[in-house]
Amino acid sequence: MIRFENVTKRFPDGTEALKDISLVLPTHELTAIIGPSGCGKTTLMKMINKLEKPTDGSIYIDEKPINGMDEVQLRRSIGYVIQRIGLFPHMTISDNVALVPKLLEWPKAKKEERVRELLQLVGLDPEIYMDRYPLELSGGQQQRVGVVRALAGDPNIVLMDEPFSALDPISREQLQDELRNLQQTINKTIVFVTHDMDEALKIADSIIVMRDGQVEQTGTPQQLIDDPANEFVRNFIGVERINQKRTFGEKRLMEFLNLFTRDWAGDAENISADSTIEAAFTQLDNSNQDYLAIIEDEKVVAYANDRDLLKAALVKESGVLV
Amino acid sequence: MRNFFDTLINRQDMIISALLEHIYLSFVAVAIGIAIALPLGIVITRYRRYAEPIIGVTAVFQTIPSLALFGFLVPILGIGSPTALIALIIYALLPILRNTYAGIVGVDGSTIEAGRGMGMTRTQILRQIELPLALPFIMAGIRTATVLTVGIATLATFVGAGGLGDIIYRGLQSYNNALVLAGALPVALLAIGFDQILKWIEKRATPKGLKT
Ligand SMILES: Nc1ncnc2c1ncn2[C@@H]1O[C@H](COP(=O)(O)OP(=O)(O)OP(=O)(O)O)[C@@H](O)[C@H]1O
Ligand SMILES: [Mg+2]
């Protein structure tokens, strides 16, 4: 758990980038930080690996103040994807990915194995890409490398600053899906900065909405949509999206099976594919399971958790989020 | 033309020893120039407030006509190769200093921030990121300094430090054009030769990933 306690950041030129911020980023969850440009998202994130230091207040990781920690050691234990990728152009993909393992002095074989494993994870064939240089990769491939480079040292915390911002919508969707799937297996504490509400709704466990150095609202995607704290949050989420959820709540689950989870090994509560999304939300809320098993013709055809349901509620006929 | 070849053959020993002196002077001056300007160039990237004034001072030295600089140094340091070397070093400093500084400052900020964010120390960032990426610039600076120094070293003769300038000067005094040429031609070839060699090294020094 990462905890901010009354953190204020004033830059030497007088800009107050963060104003008395207190918040908690839960362990093993993906928290998205969202807000308009210049609201302090990057600054907030850089506080966690001490690239910026608070003017006031403290930050704790698992209740230990980071104030006293050695910054080099701390950074090696936290994955970091910077805004604008930042791959080292003079190093091969393999050397880029292996950078933190090298700093941590892993043995050579272990480093190489790690590189292969990670490249495969994001669909880059190690045999082809390991010895290439960043400029020989497309933008999307570079961003993938940027993401896995942050995972290389097997950190518990990963900071990602608009990692997909430079991508076309299709690669972007694809990487979002990949990240979501990845998170299901690696289970890190991920802090994900974005200014794209679709992205946040799609991948985050919880969302922090910021404006002008302050937190406007914190909540799950669903809480934000159901109960936006104020006009700013409502506008930021988009009135259209909020209404959409209301009307589409009437639609039936069977129309959205393609959006749902195919396989789920854990427990799930049964629900008929005839039910409305609204009903599914209610049933899931009252259930102590995380997933619903959707039944059609006495067979389970898909699984859905609250995120899947939300996706269904927000999707247009065309299959894209509003 | 015959005359020229005769001169070359007759004065062979003299020309070769002048050539060696010339190479020695240029080489030592550039080597010491690198030893001073490279670390200084790195240091001023860490204290950028001082960068402009320090580069400015070396630039002022650079604008002093070379003959005048030799003239200034003689009353202070007397005659001999140390005087010539110091003058040459002064000229070698600026290109190396300026290119080292510009090369390192020009490294993309996000690349350095990525390094910092991943837990590299300042020394690691310097050695593994900044210097490799600045290397083509630094090499270009060394190349400029070398060519400059080879040319200016012809003036070393006026402070009694020898070099090919001796031969040119002697030729001028005795109205012997062939002798002037026998001094000037090796200077030109030396400059071109060094330039080509360093150009090759510069190319090799460009990190592979940047060549596309
Ligand atoms: N080093 C700095 N010195 C002075 N002001 C700064 C500095 N870094 C950031 N700021 C200011 O602090 C505020 C927050 O910046 P920050 O980079 O955190 O915004 P952001 O939310 O990440 O924006 P974006 O979405 O554009 O990346 C901005 O007003 C910015 O101009
Ligand atoms: Mg930012």
Side-chain angles (χ1 to χ4, degrees), chain B:
Chain B
M1 210 58 200
R2 268 207 68 143
N3 199 352
F4 171 64
F5 286 114
D6 287 345
T7 311
L8 272 189
I9 293 161
N10 293 337
R11 310 275 184 116
Q12 198 179 21
D13 290 347
M14 194 178 89
I15 295 172
I16 288 178
S17 88
L19 179 69
L20 291 178
E21 264 170 5
H22 203 98
I23 294 177
Y24 165 81
L25 280 175
S26 320
F27 196 78
V28 172
V30 172
I32 296 178
I34 295 173
I36 297 172
L38 189 65
L40 187 63
I42 294 170
V43 168
I44 58 177
T45 61
R46 299 300 187 259
Y47 303 92
R48 297 205 182 165
R49 263 180 312 151
Y50 303 114
E52 279 310 316
I54 288 177
I55 293 177
V57 169
T58 49
V60 167
F61 278 124
Q62 191 89 333
T63 57
I64 302 175
S66 26
L67 201 53
L69 183 63
F70 280 93
F72 287 134
L73 289 176
V74 171
I76 307 168
L77 296 164
I79 284 220
S81 30
T83 311
L85 274 179
I86 286 173
L88 292 179
I89 290 166
I90 288 175
Y91 284 107
L93 285 182
L94 179 68
I96 305 175
L97 184 70
R98 191 164 48 193
N99 278 35
T100 304
Y101 178 75
I104 293 180
V105 168
V107 173
D108 189 7
S110 59
T111 314
I112 293 173
E113 197 186 296
R116 280 217 305 147
M118 290 162 78
M120 294 174 94
T121 61
R122 289 182 86 169
T123 323
Q124 283 168 334
I125 289 176
L126 178 67
R127 290 172 54 168
Q128 297 176 29
I129 299 176
E130 291 175 309
L131 281 181
L133 289 174
L135 199 56
F137 288 88
I138 297 174
M139 284 309 303
I142 292 176
R143 192 173 138 203
T144 311
T146 309
V147 173
L148 198 70
T149 310
V150 168
I152 297 176
T154 45
L155 298 178
T157 180
F158 294 114
V159 295
L164 288 162
D166 269 359
I167 308 213
I168 300 176
Y169 189 58
R170 227 181 262 201
L172 286 173
Q173 276 189 325
S174 57
Y175 300 101
N176 183 345
N177 282 343
L179 194 58
V180 172
L181 202 58
L185 201 64
V187 174
L189 292 178
L190 208 56
I192 295 173
F194 273 137
D195 189 49
Q196 288 302 313
I197 294 171
L198 288 166
K199 194 166 150 188
W200 181 78
I201 297 179
E202 190 182 317
K203 250 197 183 142
R204 297 269 320 243
T206 308
K208 238 177 130 196
L210 298 183
K211 275 183 191 156
T212 39

Side-chain angles (χ1 to χ4, degrees), chain A residues 185-199:
Chain A
T185 38
I186 58 180
N187 248 303
K188 309 279 185 197
T189 305
I190 299 180
V191 185
F192 189 105
V193 166
T194 177
H195 55 235
D196 176 353
M197 188 48 100
D198 283 330
E199 188 163 80

Side-chain angles (χ1 to χ4, degrees), chain A residues 11-13 15 17 35-44 52 83 161-162 193 195:
Chain A
F11 285 110
D13 67 355
T15 315
S37 188
C39 68
K41 305 182 293 292
T42 298
T43 309
L44 182 88
E52 299 287 0
Q83 202 168 358
D161 197 351
E162 307 202 22
V193 166
H195 55 235

Side-chain angles (χ1 to χ4, degrees), chain A residues 251-280:
Chain A
K251 297 238 167 183
R252 294 178 192 287
L253 291 177
M254 58 211 298
E255 296 173 53
F256 305 100
L257 294 180
N258 61 332
L259 292 177
F260 296 152
T261 312
R262 291 272 149 238
D263 297 302
W264 169 246
D267 292 333
E269 221 172 86
N270 289 351
I271 186 167
S272 153
D274 265 347
S275 321
T276 62
I277 294 175
E278 198 58 60

